[in-house]
Amino acid sequence: MTASQVELDQPGQGRLAHSPADHPPIPRAKVGVVLANLGTPDATDYWSMRRYLGEFLSDKRVVDYPSWKWQPLLQLIILSRRPFSSGAAYRGIWNTEKNESPLLTITREQTRKVAEGLEALYGDRVMVDFCMRYGNPSTDSVLRRMQAAGCEKILFFPLYPQYASPTTATANDQAFRTLMKLKWQPAIRTVPAYFEHPRYIDALANSVEETYASAEGRPEVLVASYHGVPKRFLMEGDPYHCQCQKTTRLLRERLRWEPEAIETAFQSQFGPEEWVGPQTVDHVAELAKRGKKHIAVISPAFSADCVETLEEINEEIKESFLEAGGERFTYVPCLNDRDDHVQALLAVIRNELAGWC
């Protein structure tokens, strides 16, 4: 049913045109916008971490080994040990005031600001919410809530600037799994990668310039550290590695820097197979051995600070650089809920809503 088929009865509700007078009110048709991020454990204790890691590491988009080979290893060994170390990492960055992970706090604030921006443009015709691929709020619960609220069209926005199978694709997969279970499916659009969007590049450049302006001395090299993927994914057609390289190049051009002032690396490798490189943790140590005393690291693939940035970069990778002879390490925060980042997201959303609003 379309909005033209509904006569307004009271704010946000109406009745079908030509329907009997006693027909129950129905929600007025709306467009939904869902911001989707990776996910978060509900708490840092062993069982909360095990549930979260079990869901994450059982995803075939993340680890695509045959189940008969991978699941015994995962269930009997990895999930017996890793919740302890991962829980400790999360405890080091946990938002104790709200009792939640920073990723959840930041994504909620991004959603609030995006909702305000869209309300200014479209009034109450657009409903905005967020979901997580792993953990809560789940993709299924959010999409069902939107449908119940009258969203007949939904724009699903994975918050990953660069497309990758283990991030963008699995987020979309989860949305489609919900649609497969619904009797009445809303129309749905998925947002493509925005790794080269001018406003996204501008926001990255602004964050670098602001961080450099407040740093104690100017860093000699900026390392753009992206989350890693197996090299096999690149060979099988995943465009992620190429899109990361282009983001780095566009950022350098926007900053008007020489090529040697910014380098690309990849973090978070696990497992025995070869991954795209160089690995950030090793690369920063090599920079120190080459005589670089002050470096900065930025994470263009992450839309919000999380355990991979606040703990891995600002602790493990920083430690690698300092132990190899480096002296000063500057972290450039993720774009988070910066106003220029929100404006970039709004520009992407407005383009994708064309014809719907």
Side-chain angles (χ1 to χ4, degrees):
M1 136 192 23
T2 64
S4 63
Q5 294 174 291
V6 178
E7 297 176 355
L8 294 183
D9 187 15
Q10 52 184 307
Q13 291 189 323
R15 61 181 180 84
L16 288 172
H18 312 298
S19 64
D22 61 350
H23 194 287
I26 61 172
R28 182 171 56 180
K30 296 182 179 181
V31 173
V33 175
V34 180
L35 306 181
N37 218 320
L38 181 71
T40 172
D42 295 324
T44 62
D45 62 277
Y46 174 84
W47 290 108
S48 296
M49 293 304 309
R50 182 173 178 123
R51 283 193 300 272
Y52 172 72
L53 292 172
E55 183 181 9
F56 173 53
L57 295 175
S58 292
D59 186 347
K60 286 287 190 179
R61 290 283 193 180
V62 175
V63 182
D64 60 356
Y65 301 147
S67 295
W68 65 266
K69 180 186 296 185
W70 174 243
Q71 282 299 320
L73 177 64
L74 175 64
Q75 299 298 330
L76 298 176
I77 300 177
I78 296 174
L79 291 181
S80 295
R81 302 174 181 175
R82 189 159 178 175
F84 292 108
S85 59
S86 294
Y90 270 97
R91 281 191 291 275
I93 65 166
W94 202 248
N95 183 342
T96 54
E97 180 181 347
K98 294 181 178 292
N99 192 27
E100 62 188 23
S101 74
L103 178 67
L104 181 56
T105 305
I106 294 166
T107 305
R108 183 187 297 110
E109 188 63 14
Q110 289 171 330
T111 303
R112 183 186 70 80
K113 290 187 175 183
V114 167
E116 288 179 351
L118 292 178
E119 183 179 15
L121 291 168
Y122 305 116
D124 63 355
R125 288 178 291 161
V126 176
M127 176 180 176
V128 184
D129 208 338
F130 73 94
C131 69
M132 298 293 175
R133 170 60 182 90
Y134 315 104
N136 295 304
S138 69
T139 302
D140 184 80
S141 67
V142 171
L143 290 179
R144 288 177 182 273
R145 182 163 65 245
M146 282 199 151
Q147 186 194 43
C151 294
E152 297 180 3
K153 300 172 181 177
I154 295 177
L155 181 69
F156 191 76
F157 191 173
L159 290 176
Y160 308 111
Q162 299 80 19
Y163 174 97
S165 173
T167 53
T168 312
T170 191
N172 290 337
D173 288 348
Q174 196 73 347
F176 298 145
R177 288 188 187 100
T178 294
L179 265 62
M180 289 172 65
K181 295 179 286 187
L182 296 178
K183 294 297 186 199
W184 184 2
Q185 294 179 334
I188 193 163
R189 291 177 179 173
T190 60
V191 176
Y194 56 102
F195 65 98
E196 57 185 351
H197 195 286
R199 290 203 174 185
Y200 162 67
I201 299 298
D202 282 345
L204 286 177
N206 292 340
S207 71
V208 171
E209 290 171 339
E210 291 170 14
T211 301
Y212 273 44
S214 61
E216 184 182 344
R218 182 181 177 84
E220 299 163 77
V221 177
L222 174 65
V223 177
S225 180
Y226 301 82
H227 67 79
V229 294
K231 188 174 182 180
R232 171 171 52 87
F233 286 18
L234 172 63
M235 298 298 103
E236 293 172 350
D238 191 310
Y240 176 71
H241 181 267
C242 298
Q243 292 183 0
C244 292
Q245 297 287 355
K246 187 167 185 180
T247 295
T248 300
R249 176 175 63 80
L250 293 174
L251 174 59
R252 178 182 62 78
E253 292 173 353
R254 165 61 176 75
L255 291 167
R256 296 184 174 86
W257 286 1
E258 296 300 317
E260 62 273 12
I262 181 169
E263 301 183 4
T264 299
F266 298 86
Q267 64 186 85
S268 306
Q269 176 179 344
F270 71 92
E273 68 178 301
E274 183 181 2
W275 283 48
V276 295
Q279 294 300 307
T280 306
V281 68
D282 297 328
H283 189 62
V284 297
E286 178 61 28
L287 287 173
K289 293 173 183 176
R290 282 163 32 193
K292 304 300 182 183
K293 298 302 182 182
H294 186 187
I295 68 168
V297 176
I298 188 173
S299 301
F302 297 93
S303 62
D305 274 309
C306 54
V307 70
E308 286 87 354
T309 62
L310 298 175
E311 195 277 335
E312 185 177 1
I313 289 180
N314 228 4
E315 294 185 24
E316 178 185 349
I317 290 171
K318 176 181 179 180
E319 182 179 335
S320 177
F321 175 69
L322 297 178
E323 287 185 349
E327 296 178 358
R328 279 181 288 176
F329 183 96
T330 298
Y331 174 59
V332 182
C334 288
L335 295 178
N336 297 326
D337 63 338
R338 291 173 54 100
D339 288 343
D340 51 6
H341 185 213
V342 173
Q343 290 303 313
L345 299 179
L346 286 169
V348 173
I349 291 170
R350 289 185 66 185
N351 183 68
E352 299 304 318
L353 286 177
W356 277 9
C357 291

